[in-house]
Amino acid sequence: MAKITNYIPEPKEEYNVDNQRQIMESLNTMKQQLNFSFQQDLKNELDTFNYFLSWVYNIKMHLRY
């Protein structure tokens, strides 16, 4: 499960370019963190599945003999 920590600044009452840039940068950082953690979760899941398949294959081969 992805765990991210990111601070998104509150928007100001009046439009401020710097404030909007900070908000956009925080959102982009959050997007990158989520993408990276999602890819890692997929890799972990695939590794677990492959381990399971190899275990099943080994058991099947041992039962043959």
Side-chain angles (χ1 to χ4, degrees):
M1 177 65 63
K3 179 179 180 181
I4 59 169
T5 55
N6 196 18
Y7 169 74
I8 299 176
E10 288 287 324
K12 305 222 183 225
E13 290 290 326
E14 233 176 90
Y15 179 80
N16 182 334
V17 174
D18 289 334
N19 182 250
Q20 295 302 311
R21 284 188 183 130
Q22 287 177 342
I23 292 171
M24 287 303 298
E25 185 62 35
S26 293
L27 290 172
N28 283 329
T29 300
M30 183 182 295
K31 179 178 78 172
Q32 289 173 347
Q33 288 175 345
L34 286 169
N35 284 338
F36 176 78
S37 63
F38 178 72
Q39 292 298 324
Q40 188 62 42
D41 287 347
L42 283 178
K43 182 187 177 307
N44 292 344
E45 189 175 315
L46 185 59
D47 288 346
T48 303
F49 183 69
N50 286 333
Y51 177 79
F52 172 75
L53 287 180
S54 69
W55 182 78
V56 168
Y57 177 76
N58 286 332
I59 295 295
K60 185 177 177 184
M61 293 305 289
H62 285 289
L63 290 176
R64 238 184 199 179
Y65 297 107

